[in-house]
Amino acid sequence: MDVLQLKKNVISKGLIPLEELFDQDDVARKPTSQSTEKGVEEVNIGKPATPKMVKLSKELLPKTKDKYISLMASFVDVFTWDYLDLKAYDMNII
């Protein structure tokens, strides 16, 4: 593996090297946040016949929540909703 040598091998104050945050398998060593279902609500951005459920924080302001719902609903086709959607990717893009 090639290593890039920098003239000044320093890290700015407040930044932590990624090696200290993740193990060799890119798994966080000390996760700082844990998801909780208590503060989350499910919202359907699809149609009643074909629901597309997303989870949003209950702490969002109503105006902000409406903006998120509107944004996600307008781009509902870019999300993967079913395992079969994952199989239809173009290797040229990856």
Side-chain angles (χ1 to χ4, degrees), residues 30-72:
K30 297 178 187 175
T32 56
S33 65
Q34 296 181 8
S35 65
T36 171
E37 293 295 320
K38 294 177 187 175
V40 175
E41 65 178 301
E42 286 195 349
V43 178
N44 182 10
I45 61 170
K47 298 177 182 172
T50 55
K52 308 290 185 188
M53 303 306 288
V54 296
K55 295 182 179 183
L56 293 174
S57 171
K58 290 181 180 178
E59 296 180 13
L60 288 174
L61 297 173
K63 186 176 179 179
T64 304
K65 178 182 168 185
D66 291 342
K67 285 182 180 181
Y68 275 119
I69 292 170
S70 175
L71 177 69
M72 288 188 280

Side-chain angles (χ1 to χ4, degrees), residues 77-80 82-94:
D77 61 322
V78 301
F79 296 102
T80 300
D82 190 298
Y83 179 72
L84 295 175
D85 295 338
L86 292 173
K87 294 183 177 183
Y89 55 84
D90 185 359
M91 290 298 291
N92 293 324
I93 295 172
I94 298 173

